[in-house]
Amino acid sequence: MKKVAVLTSGGDSPAMNAAIRAIVLSCDYHQLQCVGFYHGYNGLINDQHVDMHQFDINSALQQGGTILKSARCQAMLSDEGVMQACNTLRKHDIDALIVIGGDGSLKGLKEIKQHWEKPVIGLPGTIDNDLSGTDATIGFATAVTTATHTIDKIRDTANAFERIFIVEVMGRHSGHIAFNVGIATGAEAIISFENFTPSQANSKVAEILKGVEKQQRTHGSFLIVLAENLWPGGAHALKASLSEQGQVDSALCILGHIQRGGSPVPEDRNLATELGIASVDAILNGQDSVMIGKLSGTIVATSLDDVINTPKPVSSHWVKAHQGQLTHYLK
């Protein structure tokens, strides 16, 4: 074992840099050469690489984004792209590959393993927290913190004008951000994959209007946290439905990519550091085709197949907690 390669793939998440830093420092400790590939799998296919050293990552811990850059890679959906990525690894005599990313990135890693004989290790880098095999993904805590602080500011102006606000949060096809942020901000309504289907749109609008009616009687604001990729027609369609069915004028704020940026919170920095060190240890211990995560305070290795094929729903306790709060509010 002489050379370890690392790349960040897919949507960026805060503390990816902390994971890169931990991998580089751990490789240095074990006298391994660390090679970074830029722009995710694109850099692997196009051979855009750099030798990583301690001075390259000294100030990376507190930075958001990723110093290795990231990207989506359509070429990895073809056999030609996967084979080219493998050829680059062989060209540089890479002995192991670590990929930091989400579900799609781990699927790409699994494809590489089909054509490359060396160890591959995944790290859960996504704000969506939708990967099994770990309680939290790298960047999730920061995204929740950023969204919470932003919605707290929205609540201030909503209270001042006694307004109804729809706030859309990210999460891809998962409600982890929506429920964590919604409960943290005391949202009157959370609309997510766990408590909503498109066929329930009309009944959900009626439920919201009932809450808004009480809000108007009690001189307060009404906050709706909406998961992205969920409401038929998007957040603007929900705003239009409230106006059409209840003559309710609501304000709309789509938080978008602000949730991916910013300096990572300590929880994410520490998690990324732990997992980065553990990924190098896993390689040296002969592990392969696994994702390194943390469950109940313990570092664990879960097969890529299990991570990719096992859903990670929001806890039913979170869903019930909010529903109980909403039921009480609507009385």
Side-chain angles (χ1 to χ4, degrees):
M1 186 66 61
K2 295 180 180 180
K3 278 187 183 180
V4 174
V6 59
L7 61 85
T8 51
S9 170
D12 62 301
S13 63
M16 277 185 164
N17 283 331
I20 296 170
R21 174 180 177 272
I23 291 167
V24 173
L25 293 178
S26 187
C27 283
D28 184 65
Y29 176 80
H30 291 289
Q31 298 182 326
L32 301 172
Q33 182 179 351
C34 186
V35 179
F37 284 91
Y38 288 112
H39 307 114
Y41 287 114
N42 293 300
L44 197 55
I45 291 172
N46 298 319
D47 195 6
Q48 299 172 306
H49 71 281
V50 60
D51 289 337
M52 304 289 290
H53 303 285
Q54 182 173 345
F55 62 82
D56 296 320
I57 45 82
N58 278 341
S59 61
L61 185 66
Q62 66 270 31
Q63 295 178 12
T66 162
I67 58 175
L68 287 176
K69 312 304 179 184
S70 191
R72 314 289 184 186
C73 184
Q74 289 297 316
M76 282 296 290
L77 299 178
S78 69
D79 290 339
E80 293 80 4
V82 174
M83 291 302 297
Q84 183 56 47
C86 295
N87 289 338
T88 302
L89 293 169
R90 294 189 183 99
K91 173 184 175 181
H92 294 285
D93 296 320
I94 301 298
D95 294 306
L97 172 64
I98 301 172
V99 170
I100 309 166
D103 178 75
S105 302
L106 298 187
K107 288 179 180 176
L109 189 58
K110 185 181 173 185
E111 288 301 313
I112 283 178
K113 186 59 189 176
Q114 301 299 316
H115 304 280
W116 190 57
E117 61 280 0
K118 302 294 182 65
V120 297
I121 303 291
L123 289 185
T126 168
I127 67 169
D128 303 328
N129 199 35
D130 58 351
L131 294 176
S132 63
T134 187
D135 289 329
T137 54
I138 295 169
F140 174 63
T142 304
V144 169
T145 299
T146 298
T148 298
H149 289 170
T150 304
I151 293 176
D152 283 346
K153 294 177 174 63
I154 290 173
R155 177 71 86 172
D156 287 343
T157 187
N159 283 337
F161 280 84
E162 299 174 353
R163 295 203 68 181
I164 297 91
F165 262 87
I166 303 168
V167 183
E168 183 185 277
V169 297
M170 296 181 92
R172 204 166 67 107
H173 299 292
S174 165
H176 287 279
I177 291 179
F179 270 93
N180 276 266
V181 170
I183 290 176
T185 58
E188 281 72 31
I190 301 173
I191 306 175
S192 185
F193 298 91
E194 295 75 13
N195 65 354
F196 175 84
T197 61
S199 63
Q200 298 171 316
N202 288 333
S203 61
K204 185 62 72 172
V205 168
E207 181 182 87
I208 291 171
L209 291 175
K210 183 178 178 181
V212 168
E213 182 183 355
K214 178 175 181 180
Q215 170 263 340
Q216 292 172 336
R217 292 198 306 268
T218 57
H219 307 289
S221 59
F222 193 93
L223 176 65
I224 304 162
V225 171
L226 174 67
E228 67 174 351
N229 300 316
L230 177 66
W231 193 270
H236 290 278
L238 172 58
K239 174 180 168 65
S241 293
L242 292 175
S243 176
E244 293 167 3
Q245 297 185 37
Q247 289 75 54
V248 167
D249 180 29
S250 58
L252 174 61
C253 182
I254 299 175
L255 297 191
H257 288 74
I258 187 177
Q259 295 158 93
R260 284 191 184 169
S263 181
V265 297
E267 183 179 348
D268 271 330
R269 299 185 195 189
N270 293 338
L271 175 65
T273 299
E274 281 188 285
L275 299 187
I277 293 170
S279 66
V280 177
D281 289 342
I283 292 169
L284 295 174
N285 290 331
Q287 292 182 290
D288 187 11
S289 299
V290 297
M291 186 197 78
I292 306 299
K294 190 174 184 180
L295 291 171
S296 301
T298 302
I299 299 295
V300 298
T302 306
S303 74
L304 292 178
D305 282 335
D306 286 345
V307 173
I308 292 169
N309 296 319
T310 305
K312 183 184 178 183
V314 173
S315 167
S316 60
H317 297 294
W318 281 101
V319 179
K320 290 178 181 177
H322 173 69
Q323 188 59 42
Q325 171 184 302
L326 182 63
T327 300
H328 176 77
Y329 179 84
L330 295 177
K331 285 182 178 179

